Amino acid sequence: MLRFSLRGRSVCFETFDKRLETLGSVRESCTIFNNSSRHTVSKSRLRCLIDSETRSNGTKGHRFSSTTPTSTSTATTPTPEPGKTCLYDLHVENRGKIINFCGWLLPVQYQEAIAASHQHTRTFASLFDVGHMMQTLVFGKDATELLESLTTSDLKNLSKGSAVLTVFTNENGGILDDLIITKDDDHKYFLVSNAGRRNQDSQLLLQQQENFKRQGKSIQLQFLHPLEQSLVALQGPTAASVLRSIVKINLKSLTFMNSVETTVFGSRIRITRCGYTGEDGFEISMPAKIARTLVEAILDTPDTKLAGLGARDSLRLEAGLCLYGHDIDEETTPVEAALTWLVAKRRRAEGNFPGAKRILSQIKSGTEKKRIGLTVVHGPPVREGACILTPEGESVGKVTSGGPSPTLGRSIAMGYVPSELAHYGGGILVQVRGKTYKATIAKIPFVKTNYYTAK
């Protein structure tokens, strides 16, 4: 999961749909809003990183009513009105092509093709609006214990100001969500989790808070609403120089997966060095009242552009990063997803996290299935749901994410196969529209990452 970004508008929808199909956008059904008209792009499944495509039902305290009911056999059920981040007007003004993603109106692209935006991010810097993501503060003297009771991370030994990628797990070891936890102090944490899991994550935290309170423990939760707290991701090789011209902090000492708070335009903001693209970059959390001012200051710097969900998806795929609800879900363990490293050494020894019995058994004895990377030199883009077959034609798995790689100039994908077949360099087949194509099992990430470690 990482660091993110978004932006674009004005193209005939038939051409746009073909462009998405060609460039490997995401498929599920989504709605595109253009001025006053509303059009549906058939099976368009645009997705982000680490975000689930499950639609959010809104946030506590901020309900969205709908005038478009969904029919059932017995009654009509209102559909929640899509939410808007505090940068929505900026996207419209910059001709962003807006879709309904996870219950939020976000740009899939701007005037540039998705591949061009992708390459710009790899060469310069792009800004993505990820204000739909769930931001949460967890604090109190028992905050560490609460979060460790739900995740596989070692927060006790995490340094102040450091961030860690982790997962909420269930009692069977399945992944409920992936998230980044930043440790502000021994008793205070900042969480960023997926928009499509907002309801599930908030309920999980609230229920555990209630359990802890019954034991006389002290925990407080604060859910930050997207209309009150913005979140953007500045990603790319020139991201640090762009940000250095705006904030007065030493970015050279801020390494990958570390966070700092500072004051800009009279307000406190949080800058975390991380990303969902594989490039150097930052995630910036800030009050909504200064969001547009800060974003426009960033965009006023040379070679910095807005980018949308389409480029975000192709970038994270090249970086081999999982998308919740596709590459990982409640039925998949961290070990099966090739994310064993998310289970901290101390937590393995203690075995006191949800699903520990199954996860520790898999670490010791192996798994029946494993996430792999695939490259296809010749043939059409390989999409989610495509069958993976042995060279003899036996179906052994499914693709969970896939599309063209603008950087590599070939089709890439991720999926699951039996562990005995998951050998790097091994030959395999993928099936697209009834035809089979040769593929090679590849190491992940597909494109070398460029995270800043000061080494």
Side-chain angles (χ1 to χ4, degrees):
M1 196 184 128
L2 47 135
R3 289 317 177 215
F4 348 87
S5 325
L6 318 129
R7 338 190 195 298
R9 182 185 234 80
S10 112
V11 64
C12 96
F13 292 97
E14 293 78 13
T15 303
F16 178 48
D17 196 28
K18 289 177 183 176
R19 182 182 300 175
L20 292 182
E21 179 66 24
T22 302
L23 293 174
S25 7
V26 205
R27 298 230 159 233
E28 214 54 47
S29 122
C30 47
T31 305
I32 295 183
F33 294 78
N34 186 0
N35 298 327
S36 59
S37 12
R38 187 175 286 186
H39 304 264
T40 299
V41 176
S42 173
K43 282 196 97 129
S44 202
R45 63 158 171 67
L46 294 145
R47 45 181 188 206
C48 318
L49 120 330
I50 36 192
D51 303 319
S52 161
E53 292 214 16
T54 308
R55 176 176 292 186
S56 169
N57 291 322
T59 305
K60 186 176 180 181
H62 294 265
R63 300 248 176 220
F64 302 103
S65 61
S66 171
T67 55
T68 311
T70 302
S71 299
T72 65
S73 55
T74 55
T76 58
T77 304
T79 301
E81 191 70 20
K84 298 176 182 178
T85 69
C86 56
L87 294 174
Y88 173 80
D89 290 344
L90 177 72
H91 303 317
V92 173
E93 290 167 20
N94 282 273
R95 303 177 71 184
K97 299 174 179 67
I98 307 297
I99 67 166
N100 183 335
F101 177 79
C102 299
W104 294 88
L105 300 180
L106 294 166
V108 62
Q109 71 181 105
Y110 294 85
Q111 291 177 283
E112 282 189 332
I114 291 172
S117 183
H118 176 114
Q119 294 289 34
H120 183 87
T121 309
R122 290 271 184 250
T123 308
F124 298 106
S126 296
L127 189 76
F128 300 80
D129 178 5
V130 289
H132 62 304
M133 302 284 283
M134 181 176 173
Q135 301 180 71
T136 308
L137 292 174
V138 180
F139 50 100
K141 67 180 180 66
D142 299 301
T144 301
E145 184 182 354
L146 180 139
L147 289 173
E148 285 198 348
S149 74
L150 299 173
T151 69
T152 59
S153 55
D154 180 0
L155 299 177
K156 287 182 181 178
N157 293 316
L158 186 66
S159 301
K160 294 178 185 178
S162 295
V164 63
L165 176 64
T166 188
V167 285
F168 289 134
T169 49
N170 60 27
E171 290 305 320
N172 198 38
I175 299 172
L176 296 172
D177 200 6
D178 64 301
L179 66 155
I180 287 182
I181 298 179
T182 301
K183 186 174 187 176
D184 290 336
D185 210 333
D186 286 336
H187 309 304
K188 183 181 179 184
Y189 295 88
F190 173 66
L191 281 56
V192 176
S193 55
N194 288 307
R197 300 293 288 178
R198 184 179 299 272
N199 288 347
Q200 294 87 341
D201 291 353
S202 58
Q203 282 303 115
L204 183 69
L205 290 165
L206 287 166
Q207 287 172 6
Q208 196 68 329
Q209 178 192 39
E210 215 34 59
N211 293 337
F212 271 51
K213 282 186 173 180
R214 283 197 291 267
Q215 301 171 43
K217 297 180 179 180
S218 174
I219 298 291
Q220 295 183 65
L221 302 174
Q222 183 179 353
F223 300 106
L224 308 179
H225 193 270
L227 290 180
E228 298 165 0
Q229 190 75 10
S230 180
L231 188 68
V232 298
L234 177 63
Q235 295 284 289
T238 64
S241 62
V242 168
L243 198 56
R244 196 176 293 118
S245 67
I246 298 170
V247 301
K248 296 178 180 179
I249 58 174
N250 181 10
L251 293 179
K252 286 186 177 180
S253 63
L254 186 67
T255 55
F256 181 61
M257 295 303 281
N258 280 274
S259 184
V260 66
E261 289 186 290
T262 188
T263 299
V264 176
F265 300 124
S267 295
R268 295 293 288 175
I269 69 169
R270 176 191 299 272
I271 300 172
T272 307
R273 199 161 199 161
C274 60
Y276 198 48
T277 64
E279 294 294 337
D280 183 24
F282 307 87
E283 184 178 273
I284 307 167
S285 177
M286 63 199 132
K289 64 182 180 180
I290 68 160
R292 177 149 184 164
T293 303
L294 180 53
V295 165
E296 288 178 339
I298 290 172
L299 294 175
D300 280 343
T301 59
D303 297 316
T304 306
K305 298 181 179 181
L306 288 164
L309 294 169
R312 177 175 152 91
D313 189 62
S314 57
L315 288 160
R316 71 92 196 168
L317 179 59
E318 288 186 346
L321 299 170
C322 292
L323 179 66
Y324 193 85
H326 300 263
D327 308 299
I328 51 177
D329 56 30
E330 295 185 20
E331 304 300 319
T332 307
T333 70
V335 187
E336 294 167 338
L339 297 172
T340 305
W341 58 275
L342 296 183
V343 187
K345 184 177 180 180
R346 177 178 68 83
R347 305 305 305 283
R348 297 185 197 189
E350 295 176 356
N352 56 356
F353 54 88
K357 182 177 180 180
R358 184 181 182 202
I359 289 173
L360 294 177
S361 174
Q362 289 183 338
I363 291 174
K364 181 180 180 180
S365 305
T367 61
E368 292 185 1
K369 66 177 182 178
K370 186 178 179 181
R371 179 171 65 99
I372 60 167
L374 293 169
T375 57
V376 183
V377 178
H378 303 293
V382 178
R383 305 294 187 186
E384 177 182 354
C387 284
I388 303 173
L389 307 95
T390 64
E392 293 73 36
E394 178 188 359
S395 179
V396 289
K398 293 281 187 182
V399 168
T400 53
S401 284
S405 164
T407 303
L408 300 176
R410 65 185 65 175
S411 182
I412 58 175
M414 296 190 295
Y416 287 83
V417 298
S419 294
E420 61 268 22
L421 298 178
H423 303 300
Y424 298 135
I428 208 155
L429 299 175
V430 290
Q431 189 175 58
V432 181
R433 300 188 189 95
K435 295 183 179 181
T436 57
Y437 300 89
K438 291 181 179 180
T440 302
I441 298 177
K443 288 187 177 182
I444 298 173
F446 299 97
V447 174
K448 180 181 178 295
T449 57
N450 293 302
Y451 303 130
Y452 177 72
T453 60
K455 292 181 181 178

